[in-house]
Amino acid sequence: MVTRMVEAAGGRTLAVETSGDPHGLPVFLLHGTPGSRSGPAPRSSVLSRMRVRLISFDRPGYGDSTRLPGRAVAAAAADVATIADALGLGRFAVLGRSGGGPHALACAALLPERVTRLAVLVSLAPRNAEGLDWYGSMTPSNEAAYRQAELGQPQIAGAFQARSNVIRRDPAQLLRDLVPELPLTDRSVVSDQGIRRMLVSTYRQAFRYGAAGWIDDVLAFISDWGFEVESIRRPVRLWHGADDQFSPVEHSRWLADHIPGAELYLEPGAAHFGAFKEMARAIRWAADG
C-alpha cells in the first residue's frame, strides 16, 4: 500500500493511496459519505490475485486533501484525471460506493475516453431527478440532514462541525448513532469486527481536520451535479440492497432507467452496508473491461 500527495488545480493537494498489484488493471475507488481513502476495500492480497491496482483518494475537504469550497459533483472527474495523469495512467475503471456513486458517475460522463467501465453501489440519484420521490423511504436522519442542507451551508455547518468533533474523538460514535436506524441485515454487517475496524479507520481519517468534506458532499448532492447521467455511454453496473433506506433503492432504479444500457442488480435481504460484501465482485467486473 502506497500513499502519495498529488498536486491539483488551484494549488490544492490530493491524498492518494494505491494497493494491490502495482502493475495491475487500474480501478479508482470513490469512497462513501462521510469517508476517506482508507475506507472499506478488499485486502491488498485479494486485489493482487485479481491483478488489480486499486486507487483511492480523499475527496477535497476530507482527510489530507485540500478543500474545494462550493465544489459540484462534476469536480470529481477533473481530480480523478489529475491523479491518473500523475500515476501515468491512460484508461481506467471506476467504482463508486454510496456517496462516491454520484462522483463516479461524473467520471463516466465527463471522461468518456478514459473510463472503461463503471460500477456503482447504493448511489443517490440527482436531486432534480424527474419522476423520482427523492426522499421516499429515506431514513429520517438522512432526510432531515438533506432538507436542512437545502436551506444553505450556514444552516448545516455548525451541526456538522459539532458532530465531526465528537466523531474525531471517538470514530465508533458514528456507527453507534447509525445503529438504531439500521435494518437487521445492516446491523449484522457492521457487527463484523473487520468491517468495524475499516469504518473506524475511514471516519478517523475523514474528520482529521474537521467536517468540510462532509458538508461539501451533502451540498453537492442536493445541487446541480454539473452533468447529465443520460450522457454516459460506458458500460455501467448498478448494485443496490433491496432493503436500503440510507440511499433508497428507487434511486438506483431511476439511474438504471436513465443511463443507456445500464444493468441493475437488486439483492433481496441486503441493505446499505451490504455493498461492502459486493465490492470485490464489482471491482472484478470493472477491471474486466
Side-chain angles (χ1 to χ4, degrees), residues 5 13 28 46-47 73 85 106 113 141 195 232 279:
M5 303 302 293
T13 55
F28 276 83
V46 173
L47 295 166
V73 170
D85 290 345
E113 302 303 318
S141 64
I195 288 177
I232 295 173
M279 287 182 71

Side-chain angles (χ1 to χ4, degrees), residues 66-208:
T66 311
R67 187 180 190 182
L68 179 60
R71 60 178 164 87
V73 170
D79 283 346
V80 165
T82 295
I83 294 168
D85 290 345
L87 297 178
L89 303 175
R91 304 185 76 207
F92 45 83
V94 181
L95 166 64
R97 180 186 63 80
S98 189
H103 297 93
L105 290 165
C107 295
L110 301 174
L111 303 173
E113 302 303 318
R114 303 189 73 171
V115 173
T116 56
R117 280 187 167 192
L118 172 67
V120 181
L121 312 178
V122 296
S123 179
L124 291 169
R127 179 65 184 91
N128 61 356
E130 186 174 353
L132 174 66
D133 179 3
W134 205 79
Y135 288 115
S137 301
M138 186 177 287
T139 193
S141 64
N142 267 20
E143 178 176 355
Y146 285 122
R147 289 196 183 277
Q148 194 74 7
E150 289 184 333
L151 301 176
Q153 179 170 325
Q155 299 298 318
I156 65 169
F160 274 50
Q161 192 62 56
R163 283 193 70 193
S164 77
N165 290 338
V166 172
I167 296 165
R168 188 163 61 249
R169 290 193 296 269
D170 179 13
Q173 183 61 48
L174 182 52
L175 282 175
R176 290 192 289 271
D177 291 343
L178 292 175
V179 164
E181 292 186 316
L182 293 179
L184 289 177
T185 180
D186 267 350
R187 294 187 192 191
S188 174
V189 173
V190 300
S191 68
D192 180 275
Q193 289 303 308
I195 288 177
R196 289 183 71 88
R197 281 195 297 271
M198 286 190 290
L199 287 171
V200 166
S201 174
T202 196
Y203 297 149
R204 179 178 291 113
Q205 173 66 16
F207 297 117
R208 190 171 181 181

Side-chain angles (χ1 to χ4, degrees), residues 49-60:
R49 286 198 296 272
M50 291 194 289
R51 296 187 59 250
V52 165
R53 182 185 190 187
L54 195 68
I55 305 148
S56 59
F57 66 101
D58 295 338
R59 273 197 299 281

